[in-house]
Amino acid sequence: MADRSDTQSPATAGTVPWHALDAAGAFTELSSGPGGLSAAEAARRLEDAGPNELSFAGTTPWWRVLLRQFISPLIGILMVAAVVTLLQQHWVDSGAIFLVLAVNAALGFVQERKAEADVRALQSLSTPSCRALRDGLEQVVPGRDVVPGDVVLLESGERVPADLRLFDSNGLQLDESMLTGEPFAATKHTERLPEETGPADRANVAFSGTFVGSGRGKGVVFATGGSTTLGEINALVQGPQGKSPLQLLTHDLERRIGLLVLAALVFIFIAGLVLGNDLSTMFRTAVGLAVATIPESLPIVLTVALSLGVSRMASRNAIIRTLPAVETLGSTNVIGSDKTGTLTENRLTVERIWTTEGLLHIADGNDGGGRTDSALVRAVLRAGALTNEATPSSEDEDLEYSGDAVDAAMAKAAVSRAAISEAERTALPVAHQPYEPHLRYSQTVHADAGGRRTLYVKGSPEAVLDAADSIARGDGTVPLDKSLVHAANEAMGRDGLRVIATGSRVLADDEELPAVLPAPTGLTFLGLEGMTDPPRPGAADAVAACRRAGIRVLMITGDHPVTATAIAARLGLTTERTALTGAEMADLDDHMLAARLEQTGVAARVSPADKLRIVHVLQGTGQIVAVTGDGINDAPALKAAAIGVAMGKAGTDVAREAADVVLTDDNFATIVNAVEQGRVTFAAIRKTTYFLLSTGAAALVAVTLSVFAGTPLLFLPVQMLWMNVVTNGVQDIALAFEPAEGDELTRPPRSPSDGILSRTLWFRAGITGAWMALAVILSFIVELHAGYPEIHARTLALTMFVMLSFFQVFSSRAEHKSLFQLRLLANKPLLYTSLGALVLHWAAMTWPVSAGLLQLTPLTTWEWLLCTAVGSTVLIIVEAEKAVRRFTHRNDTPAA
């Protein structure tokens, strides 16, 4: 029979889904059988189907990363100016411009390559091996060589290498949390299922990438590589990344500035020629003015500020893949978070123990750690720990267990509360029957030091109740009251807990045990243990911090609504309305879904496609959405969100590939730190942009006024290049080091409609730029009218501009606060570079070589004091404007 694997979709065989076929039908469709394929046939199919691997986006070539540093209108203008001045052999001018371009490109290139390397280091690209039947014999086969039609054998602790249709199952349970978000193991069987069964409920299918928690099984491969469910999700996250809000704002600002400056330069160039200046002088003037006016260091500042954010976030366990992701976190106003492994620990924990004596809460750790437990509570814990197959996975004081999640939770609870020792728990039993899904219980017989044998049973409350005829009390046993147990079980179930019951019976001395333990009877019902995947420490505080910062947190999970809602309530999320489900979403259009999302804090039992739709709907309402997750099911949403945050420890390669940020501690609380740093970063960018634009506008207006005033040129081209060095050559970069002001997480997120500068800063840039230009041109004209030579007048005007910029950079440190409320040494780089620029300017004026090159002359002490006094006026103007705004705001607040 011909191999048809290359024509089958991963979800269906012909027109019938694989889960709706019986085992014989699956074998027929795949031209295989219970004995597997021959080695020759497997080799042929490998050539046809290709290796069983997922494709990941390749590393960006270094040359493309380098070219990206030059994609900017402002950089383009400077590159043209640099080439033209080079052709004219104005070596100083062209050298200065090329130096600026080189520094900018180097900073951006190094940081982007470093961030990409950090993420690649996190990926595990190895493909595990598996056990398969080839030529009727069990063989170890590399995972990449598995083909459709292979029969794969599964055992506890193994990873499923491809999508399988199970045809043999013995207590098989799989951890599918990376696909479904559920922390509980999925119990598998081999029976046919209805065609409409959803992926999360396909109990006869083992999905690629999931792990075997317990039991054994066999399955026939029907999909490999990109054709698996995992591969389909991976395909959704491949492709180009969209631009971040900061990138869009920056590109828009650069385009506007570029057009404005270019128009102004052309106008000044033509006007200068008309007014009698020679062509070469006006061209060099235009070039010099371009360098002095264009905030060409803005890309450098962005890179430095974002790089600082990357470093600060890395120290707080967040690795940033792309620089703009730093700021995007700061502007986020909705976080759609996965539950399992992100908000919770992804580890079942016993939280409540019910007996006839009452309900004991053990989750808060305030109950003495077991020292005050009653004998009845200890009996419940002992029974759960003795009917148990968990094994210790560490030797630390904080003992952890591996194996079935329920067994691990019950073993840890009993040992940590000293209800039983580890030696007792692992002692060889007289007889044991492991948990069987169809029986819903496990049982074991242990003998004490005196030889008395006791049967212990744990399982579903219904199964243990059916085998019991009495119930334990503190003073003995009484006839069983099933209604009492049912009420306790339902109460814990409503709180999202998974409930396991325990019972026991002392065996008679002459009671014989068969080779296979019979169904238990005559048990004494001991009690119930309620367990759940608890919230991570600090997660509730992190959610509260997000709320204070104006960020809404929405839980988006594949888990059951009851469980998700219970955890959401403990985290402080909105639970007044019932959880939104994937089934409900199918009946809602986008407008109705957006309204429904406003009413709830939980979306549960949702598929990867549902998560993706939620992100798109929220974005359609103007929200800047961040998504967190660790599983394959989270990857499409991670990719589509403005910012995707993946878990570094428990996260899958596909999730990390789709994300912009990787948390190395898998802790939701880390996101809050990242949001704070994102806001600090954007504030630094905003302050620096304000400084660059205000000083650039001042230079442009001053030179324009000088051209039309009929005076000699205000600044020579080389002086404008020098002015660019000493006024914003390094101070603007140092301004990016401005630390947090302390109220970042008490302010609402930046509105998506806001630009890089607020209206306040645009107004402030206008008035300060105009005043600086006026002060400089007036000082130049007054000096000329006083009879000073042009070299002296230019030196005074240039020094005046330097001093005005000196005070302007300090006024830029805070948008709303007064400068005098900030610590002077809070930003030491800014203080040192600003003072250093003044010293450098003084040295250039006094050293004959540099003075001759720049055509400057020394100034007297009184002239320096005059420049300082006039320069400080810009600080007075800004402080006065801030005071007026604060006064107006206080007067407007009561009326609001």
Side-chain angles (χ1 to χ4, degrees), residues 233-475:
I233 298 173
N234 178 58
L236 293 176
V237 302
Q238 304 300 317
Q241 192 81 16
K243 291 183 178 180
S244 72
L246 179 62
Q247 287 174 313
L248 295 175
L249 290 176
T250 303
H251 291 170
D252 181 65
L253 179 64
E254 288 180 343
R255 187 166 50 252
R256 291 169 182 251
I257 294 175
L259 292 174
L260 178 63
V261 170
L262 189 60
L265 294 179
V266 171
F267 178 73
I268 292 173
F269 177 77
I270 296 175
L273 293 178
V274 172
L275 294 175
N277 294 291
D278 64 272
L279 179 65
S280 177
T281 299
M282 286 312 303
F283 181 81
R284 294 179 61 204
T285 298
V287 170
L289 188 58
V291 176
T293 304
I294 289 177
E296 76 283 343
S297 58
L298 182 58
I300 301 177
V301 171
L302 289 174
T303 302
V304 170
L306 295 173
S307 298
L308 282 172
V310 168
S311 299
R312 291 167 180 169
M313 288 186 183
S315 67
R316 295 188 178 188
N317 303 312
I319 293 178
I320 308 299
R321 286 193 66 186
T322 55
L323 291 182
V326 177
E327 187 280 329
T328 307
L329 269 172
S331 58
T332 295
N333 47 30
V334 175
I335 297 178
S337 178
D338 180 39
K339 178 183 75 69
T340 306
T342 305
L343 292 170
T344 65
E345 297 182 3
N346 196 18
R347 176 176 57 86
L348 276 183
T349 302
V350 176
E351 294 196 339
R352 300 180 197 176
I353 301 173
W354 178 89
T355 66
T356 52
E357 295 175 336
L359 188 63
L360 176 64
H361 292 260
I362 65 173
D364 53 16
N366 297 324
D367 59 345
R371 291 187 297 273
T372 59
D373 287 350
S374 67
L376 187 50
V377 168
R378 294 168 67 85
V380 172
L381 291 169
R382 283 181 62 86
L386 288 171
T387 315
N388 200 294
E389 296 182 2
T391 57
S393 58
S394 71
E395 297 180 358
D396 301 332
E397 292 183 4
D398 186 18
L399 189 62
E400 297 293 338
Y401 291 87
S402 59
D404 178 77
V406 171
D407 280 357
M410 298 182 82
K412 182 172 182 177
V415 174
S416 64
R417 300 182 72 81
I420 191 173
S421 68
E422 185 60 27
E424 291 179 277
R425 195 189 72 82
T426 57
L428 189 66
V430 176
H432 176 68
Q433 180 183 19
Y435 178 82
E436 295 289 352
H438 66 282
L439 297 177
R440 298 185 300 163
Y441 64 79
S442 62
Q443 57 180 337
T444 189
V445 177
H446 281 267
D448 60 19
R452 187 179 66 168
R453 300 171 302 166
T454 303
L455 171 68
Y456 296 98
V457 179
K458 87 168 190 301
S460 70
E462 294 80 6
V464 178
L465 279 174
D466 290 342
D469 55 20
S470 64
I471 189 169
R473 292 179 48 174
D475 54 357

Side-chain angles (χ1 to χ4, degrees), residues 30 62 208 258 273 381 439 684 734 737 792 809 831 862 870 876:
L30 292 164
W62 67 268
S208 176
L273 293 178
L381 291 169
L439 297 177
F737 286 79
H792 188 277
V809 76
L831 178 62
W862 287 108
V870 175
I876 297 173

